[in-house]
Amino acid sequence: MPTIEFENVTKIYDEDTVALDDVSFTIDEGEFVILLGPSGAGKSTMLRVLNGLTEPTEGSVRIDGEELEGNRSGVGMVFQEHYLIESKTAFGNALSGALSRNGLLRSALGMHAEPDKRTALEALQTVGLLDEAGQRAESMSGGQKQRVGIARALVQEPEVVLADEPVASLDPKAARDVMRYLKKAATEQDLTTVTSLHQVNIAREFGDRFLGIRDGEVIFDGDADDLTMDEMDRIYYGEAQGGETVPAESPGGDFAGDADAAGGGGRA
């Protein structure tokens, strides 16, 4: 049975800005799927719908056969801006992934169960930061911080991991390191993973499957061999008659700055 089922999902902001337009697809357990498309295409909205942070205007989303209603603890999220507590150690930030199990008060008082502490250390080991467990986030590099963000998501013990442009602000080497550890975690723990990326070359290195999104629609669904230059042109630039390309246009004006901001998602 597919882990994720999108069925005729439409999301409209402000009554007339279509972020997702009748989108349907399934993702099987353990797949590592990368979303590609220009800014404003709807990638962030799709991830927010999957995380239960944004409710579809129409259609349904199911995870493991259950209708998604609200934020789901079995879905871990890795953000573009890692949102770490700078004064806390890598261990402390990773351990915050257990918040849903411990509650806010117990977590604030540092009353964490021993199994959660072990899980946090194991997660840091998975992302190659066990030796830096006691290092404060404020002294870590951007790539290290993002790897702590992955560890925090793993401590949630999720079935699904979502990542919204997790390497957008990193140099190519750090970006590949982050993606390598994300893929390692997904493989070792058999996690279904969906991440959006702008760096196509890096995406091709790590993705099992690619969904190309343009103007709120999935216009490509295939593996790296299917992802030809013609398909990339179609995803990112559109295609006019005669084989000429046209610039990508965002629906509803400045969609990336307005529509996803309405949903709190920033860039699409």
Side-chain angles (χ1 to χ4, degrees), residues 199-216:
Q199 301 90 331
V200 176
N201 288 341
I202 293 176
R204 289 176 65 94
E205 286 183 40
F206 296 98
D208 298 329
R209 177 182 169 194
F210 303 88
L211 297 180
I213 304 167
R214 182 177 172 82
D215 294 345

Side-chain angles (χ1 to χ4, degrees), residues 76-94:
M77 188 77 188
V78 179
F79 301 93
Q80 178 178 337
E81 302 295 334
H82 13 76
Y83 297 122
L84 302 183
I85 299 175
E86 295 288 317
S87 61
K88 277 193 171 187
T89 63
F91 174 71
N93 275 286

Side-chain angles (χ1 to χ4, degrees), residues 17-41:
T17 303
V18 181
L20 297 175
D21 187 5
D22 195 26
V23 174
S24 296
F25 59 83
T26 62
I27 296 176
D28 291 333
E29 182 179 352
E31 277 195 289
F32 197 96
V33 178
I34 294 180
L35 309 180
L36 297 173
S39 294

Side-chain angles (χ1 to χ4, degrees), residues 114-142:
E114 288 302 317
D116 288 334
K117 293 179 181 179
R118 288 194 296 271
T119 299
L121 290 174
E122 290 168 359
L124 288 172
Q125 184 175 32
T126 296
V127 299
L129 290 175
L130 184 59
D131 290 342
E132 288 77 20
Q135 185 174 339
R136 291 182 183 274
E138 60 192 0
S139 66
M140 304 185 93
S141 68

